[in-house]
Amino acid sequence: MFQIDETHAPSLRSWVASANGHADFPIQNLPLGSFTPLGRPPRGGIAIGDQILDLAALAASGLLQGEAQVAAEAGAGGTLNPLLALGAAPRRALRRAVSALLAEGAPARPELLHKAADCTMNLPAQVGDYTDFYAGIHHATNVGKLFRPDNPLLPNYKYVPIGYHGRASSLRPSGGEVKRPLGQRKPPEGAPVLAASQRLDYEMELGIWVGAGNALGAPVAIDQAASHIAGYSVFNDWSARDLQAWEYQPLGPFLAKSFHSTVSAWIVTPEALAPFRAAQAPRPDGDPQPLPYLWSEADQQNGALALDLEVLISTTKMREAGLAPHRLSLGSALNMYWTPAQLLAHHTINGCNLAPGDLLGTGTISSPEREGFGSLLELTDGGKSPISLPNGETRTFLEDGDEVLMRVRAHRDGFAPIGFGECRGTIMG
Amino acid sequence: MFQIDETHAPSLRSWVASANGHADFPIQNLPLGSFTPLGRPPRGGIAIGDQILDLAALAASGLLQGEAQVAAEAGAGGTLNPLLALGAAPRRALRRAVSALLAEGAPARPELLHKAADCTMNLPAQVGDYTDFYAGIHHATNVGKLFRPDNPLLPNYKYVPIGYHGRASSLRPSGGEVKRPLGQRKPPEGAPVLAASQRLDYEMELGIWVGAGNALGAPVAIDQAASHIAGYSVFNDWSARDLQAWEYQPLGPFLAKSFHSTVSAWIVTPEALAPFRAAQAPRPDGDPQPLPYLWSEADQQNGALALDLEVLISTTKMREAGLAPHRLSLGSALNMYWTPAQLLAHHTINGCNLAPGDLLGTGTISSPEREGFGSLLELTDGGKSPISLPNGETRTFLEDGDEVLMRVRAHRDGFAPIGFGECRGTIMG
């Protein structure tokens, strides 16, 4: 499933000079996205350094054959759903063909490229349904402790990959403004009031893009689940904690989440991530064995992802003073209690049909250590312990003008490091 | 907003003979749907008796002008989203034109009609997002009592129109088979097991179709909310109670709901329902006044719906014995604690954007009396008191082969009664 081939060679360089040594998009990455060149219709593309390879132009170029050409044609439109629907083999063929085309030594074809800075990035796919999981066990523990100090994890947590349906319409690509939501909040005394959220937070997650779908009534077996995943993005599940606390019983989070969710613009494929697969951490003694529909030897051996998860903040005052964004946390995706394949298998066990371009959030991923906590709720002990910023400002929750910047990066000895590109948003009052 | 005009006259008859006295689709109803004639592409239609008026044929006929023609063209495609997006005025113009066209005395135009029995009904619209509310206060009380006998309603219930995001991909039109879902269930003792649900239930709801949408960040004011509703259907939110009990803490129902939801095929418009509006029942003494964003005098005076809600069951043995379906309940939509406009205004108060064709479920609507309980969970006291069927069978929850049939009807002295058409599904093991 996750094979290493010539496209991963660390020595591989591109005739696109900016790709060589690029922190996110060297030739070993080749993530998929949807972009709009100035004054032209949206189309699919592949990031390479500070350029974007135009899949519509590539499909029309006559340079590709076979499955790679089929994939380029499917990616030539305004959303990547048709390309995602094709599944792994055409996607892999496209990767190999594009890698050869962009490699140093191949004829330079600048007519297929756009400067990324001149383009607008779109949501990569039209998301039919978005689901958010809760797979970050340290996050679930930290949040649970705020309510139940002695018994933070509910009894189902280690059996059920907990998740809930989210709102697809308010998903937006990285870069926009995020309007602080109005909502009901219950003060400690007295009746609830309608007001702008005072406890606005981010959540550091991975987004998982569904590739080939499944029919209603036909669960995806755990051994097949990874083949239904088309790639990954950085995902910020903005959360209004005060709205959530008042509204969420008994049916779960609703308006506390649905005002806006931000996803990074590029889909990093399972092929690009092949070198960064890892074994799922062994469950601690006493934790139950997953039920058979969630357990596969192969998935346990390489179904996890060794990815660094970084969150930074830049306040209005920091920007005015010329200060660089300040790191709030650095964690790892290895802290997920369930693999992406387990999440997908669980989602379909009841027969629920997933479709190409559906998005699954992992839930907030926190490390056991404070430096890897993936939300302000955790970093500030539920808003009780403000954090300090380099210019002397403090924060419990987000203030207007705060920009949150998330990055995901992968590195491993013997391989070229790659990154996911930014997931960025600025709070607006 | 809900004006009575010549299209509601009880004396109005149609040259489509089956419409006159039809329990669901007399000329006073004219609901919107999407249908597929045998061997031809799907298109929009209007139910009239046992026939369907073809909106594609009507749009091409040259019989309409102005806004009515615009609406017919928008409804000519395979889904009604473009027609729903137009909002109230073109929809009303289409209704008046079609009423005149189908009225007794107008020239018969059988070339615009299809026999409904020869057509397949589709989902009326492509549903971008589906949300389920919990507006049936007697249902919420009955369910709450199973967990908290002394304190069934949570403190937020009378302030917050409780809702959660549902799964859009597994919505299906009336008539299909519903596969009994697999899922985790926790026995009273021991570890959870994976098995087919043993506590499979229906929920009697109304579906509310969003017409004109709103932009992200732009809440819909309560006085405008009704104008964003394009109509109503019958909605069965099939529920696996055993899966739900184990999975739903802390993020709400997930796989217990997302295996299948059934919606009736026709959208009954606000125009057709104008005679059946009612005042919202006064809140009992001691209940809080809704917050201002949920309160409008006009909505309180005529925002509720006087609709009869009927649930029937037909088991395999009943059908083999030639028995008619057995009524399980007859309730009323007047038992909603929140009006449809309040649900929509609440949904958008945080800036969440609704889109044409989005579907809102009301949540199960139960009457205070047992004969109007909208689910088996309530009728059987949580599965403890089986109900008896006419042939001596008993049920606590649904068994394979059971068909559940829901009907919604409206009647009022001085007006022609109308109905919503069937919402039907059969459990398959």
Side-chain angles (χ1 to χ4, degrees):
Chain A
M1 181 73 209
F2 307 120
Q3 68 216 45
I4 307 291
D5 61 28
E6 75 283 3
T7 65
H8 301 98
S11 58
L12 200 61
R13 293 170 56 86
S14 173
W15 53 260
V16 181
S18 62
N20 300 318
H22 195 278
D24 287 324
F25 307 134
I27 192 170
Q28 289 84 0
N29 191 346
L30 303 177
L32 307 167
S34 167
F35 71 104
T36 304
L38 198 63
R40 308 197 29 210
R43 75 273 318 267
I46 292 180
I48 178 75
D50 62 9
Q51 306 284 311
I52 303 175
L53 177 70
D54 185 324
L55 283 175
L58 181 61
S61 71
L63 291 166
L64 304 185
Q65 290 85 40
E67 280 192 308
Q69 174 65 14
V70 169
E73 287 172 10
T79 74
L80 294 183
N81 300 68
L83 173 54
L84 304 184
L86 293 177
R91 196 178 64 229
R92 187 177 298 123
L94 179 63
R95 172 182 172 84
R96 296 178 89 143
V98 167
S99 177
L101 202 71
L102 294 174
E104 212 168 48
R109 301 190 183 275
E111 72 279 10
L112 299 179
L113 300 178
H114 301 261
K115 242 177 105 167
D118 295 340
C119 300
T120 305
M121 295 306 301
N122 310 309
L123 270 191
Q126 185 178 349
V127 179
D129 278 290
Y130 147 56
T131 299
D132 202 23
F133 283 94
Y134 201 47
I137 188 169
H138 305 301
H139 170 74
T141 305
N142 290 338
V143 172
K145 271 182 193 161
L146 297 174
F147 298 98
R148 299 171 301 275
D150 299 330
N151 188 25
L153 280 184
L154 291 167
N156 57 9
Y157 188 86
K158 292 179 176 177
Y159 293 95
V160 180
I162 298 291
Y164 69 103
H165 309 294
R167 180 83 195 173
S169 71
S170 51
L171 291 165
R172 290 293 180 277
S174 174
E177 291 185 322
V178 175
K179 193 165 172 183
R180 182 182 296 274
L182 285 174
Q184 286 193 35
R185 176 176 77 235
K186 175 73 172 67
E189 304 293 327
V193 295
L194 179 72
S197 171
Q198 295 184 342
R199 290 164 66 94
L200 188 54
D201 201 354
Y202 60 83
E203 293 195 332
M204 171 83 225
E205 306 194 9
L206 287 179
I208 302 168
W209 294 94
V210 175
N214 63 297
L216 186 68
V220 176
I222 180 70
D223 272 329
Q224 297 301 313
S227 72
H228 287 260
I229 294 174
Y232 301 85
S233 293
V234 194
F235 188 66
N236 183 348
D237 180 30
W238 304 98
S239 298
R241 305 295 180 192
D242 40 0
L243 278 53
Q244 189 173 349
W246 175 232
E247 76 170 359
Y248 91 107
Q249 288 284 13
L251 300 184
F254 181 43
L255 302 189
K257 303 278 192 174
S258 62
F259 57 97
H260 200 124
S261 311
T262 304
V263 62
S264 63
W266 294 102
I267 300 180
V268 178
T269 65
E271 292 71 61
L273 292 172
F276 312 106
R277 308 302 306 203
Q280 180 71 338
R283 292 188 157 205
D285 280 351
D287 279 14
Q289 174 80 353
L291 286 171
Y293 79 97
L294 295 173
W295 203 89
S296 122
E297 186 64 41
D299 183 51
Q300 291 297 306
Q301 284 180 4
N302 67 7
L305 289 163
L307 300 172
D308 291 341
L309 315 175
E310 186 184 21
V311 183
L312 305 100
I313 192 171
S314 164
T315 70
T316 303
K317 285 185 181 164
M318 287 170 65
R319 290 194 297 278
E320 285 170 357
L323 294 171
H326 171 71
R327 180 189 283 174
L328 292 172
S329 66
L330 181 65
S332 167
L334 292 174
N335 289 301
M336 290 170 63
Y337 195 72
W338 305 98
T339 67
Q342 287 177 313
L343 300 181
L344 192 139
H346 180 68
H347 202 320
T348 66
I349 187 64
N350 69 341
C352 180
N353 54 320
L354 305 183
D358 283 354
L359 183 65
L360 317 182
T362 55
T364 310
I365 307 175
S366 292
S367 303
E369 309 79 21
R370 177 168 295 268
E371 56 264 35
F373 286 2
S375 69
L376 283 174
L377 186 72
E378 297 166 83
L379 287 170
T380 66
D381 301 312
K384 291 193 290 288
S385 314
I387 54 168
S388 295
L389 302 181
N391 64 345
E393 288 186 280
T394 61
R395 286 291 181 276
T396 46
F397 292 97
L398 296 170
E399 299 191 4
D400 293 349
D402 287 356
E403 180 180 64
V404 176
L405 167 61
M406 295 180 174
R407 289 186 191 133
V408 173
R409 295 217 165 116
H411 56 88
R412 181 177 154 199
D413 285 350
F415 290 91
I418 64 172
F420 281 50
E422 295 177 349
C423 182
R424 198 187 266 275
T426 305
I427 304 301
M428 178 175 85
Chain B
M1 179 74 208
F2 307 121
Q3 68 216 44
I4 307 290
D5 60 28
E6 74 282 3
T7 64
H8 300 99
S11 58
L12 199 63
R13 293 170 56 86
S14 173
W15 51 260
V16 181
S18 62
N20 301 316
H22 195 279
D24 287 325
F25 307 133
I27 191 170
Q28 289 84 359
N29 192 346
L30 304 178
L32 307 167
S34 167
F35 72 104
T36 303
L38 198 63
R40 310 199 27 213
R43 77 270 320 267
I46 293 180
I48 178 75
D50 63 8
Q51 307 284 311
I52 303 175
L53 176 70
D54 186 323
L55 284 175
L58 181 60
S61 69
L63 290 166
L64 304 185
Q65 290 85 38
E67 280 191 309
Q69 174 65 16
V70 169
E73 288 173 10
T79 74
L80 295 183
N81 301 66
L83 173 54
L84 303 184
L86 294 178
R91 195 177 65 228
R92 187 177 296 124
L94 179 63
R95 172 182 172 83
R96 297 178 88 143
V98 167
S99 177
L101 202 71
L102 293 174
E104 213 169 51
R109 302 190 182 275
E111 73 278 10
L112 300 179
L113 300 178
H114 301 261
K115 243 177 105 168
D118 295 340
C119 300
T120 306
M121 296 306 301
N122 310 310
L123 270 191
Q126 185 178 348
V127 179
D129 279 289
Y130 147 55
T131 299
D132 202 22
F133 283 94
Y134 201 48
I137 188 169
H138 306 301
H139 169 74
T141 305
N142 289 338
V143 172
K145 271 181 193 161
L146 298 174
F147 298 97
R148 298 171 302 276
D150 299 330
N151 187 25
L153 280 185
L154 292 168
N156 57 9
Y157 189 84
K158 292 180 176 176
Y159 293 94
V160 180
I162 298 290
Y164 68 103
H165 309 294
R167 180 83 194 172
S169 72
S170 52
L171 292 165
R172 291 292 179 277
S174 175
E177 290 185 323
V178 176
K179 192 164 174 186
R180 182 181 296 275
L182 286 173
Q184 285 194 35
R185 176 177 76 236
K186 175 73 173 66
E189 304 293 327
V193 295
L194 179 73
S197 171
Q198 294 184 343
R199 290 166 67 93
L200 188 54
D201 201 354
Y202 60 83
E203 294 195 331
M204 171 83 223
E205 307 194 10
L206 287 179
I208 302 168
W209 294 95
V210 175
N214 63 297
L216 186 67
V220 176
I222 180 70
D223 271 328
Q224 296 301 313
S227 72
H228 287 260
I229 295 175
Y232 300 86
S233 293
V234 195
F235 189 66
N236 184 346
D237 181 30
W238 304 99
S239 299
R241 304 296 181 193
D242 40 1
L243 278 53
Q244 189 173 347
W246 176 231
E247 77 171 357
Y248 91 108
Q249 288 283 15
L251 300 184
F254 181 44
L255 302 188
K257 303 280 192 174
S258 62
F259 58 96
H260 200 123
S261 311
T262 304
V263 62
S264 62
W266 294 101
I267 299 180
V268 178
T269 65
E271 292 72 58
L273 292 172
F276 312 107
R277 307 302 306 204
Q280 181 71 336
R283 292 189 157 204
D285 281 349
D287 278 14
Q289 175 80 353
L291 286 172
Y293 78 97
L294 295 172
W295 203 89
S296 119
E297 186 65 41
D299 183 51
Q300 291 297 306
Q301 284 181 2
N302 68 7
L305 288 164
L307 300 172
D308 290 343
L309 314 175
E310 186 184 21
V311 183
L312 305 101
I313 191 171
S314 164
T315 71
T316 304
K317 285 184 180 163
M318 287 171 65
R319 291 192 298 276
E320 285 169 359
L323 294 172
H326 170 72
R327 179 189 284 174
L328 292 173
S329 65
L330 180 65
S332 167
L334 292 174
N335 289 300
M336 290 169 63
Y337 195 71
W338 305 99
T339 67
Q342 287 177 313
L343 300 180
L344 192 139
H346 180 67
H347 202 320
T348 65
I349 187 63
N350 69 341
C352 181
N353 55 320
L354 305 182
D358 282 354
L359 183 65
L360 317 182
T362 56
T364 310
I365 306 175
S366 291
S367 303
E369 310 80 22
R370 178 168 293 268
E371 55 264 35
F373 286 0
S375 69
L376 283 175
L377 185 73
E378 296 166 82
L379 287 170
T380 66
D381 301 311
K384 290 192 291 286
S385 315
I387 54 168
S388 295
L389 302 180
N391 64 346
E393 288 186 279
T394 60
R395 286 290 181 278
T396 45
F397 291 97
L398 296 170
E399 299 192 4
D400 293 349
D402 286 358
E403 179 180 64
V404 177
L405 167 61
M406 297 180 174
R407 288 187 192 133
V408 172
R409 295 215 164 119
H411 56 87
R412 181 178 154 200
D413 284 353
F415 290 91
I418 64 172
F420 281 51
E422 295 177 350
C423 182
R424 199 187 265 274
T426 305
I427 304 300
M428 179 175 85

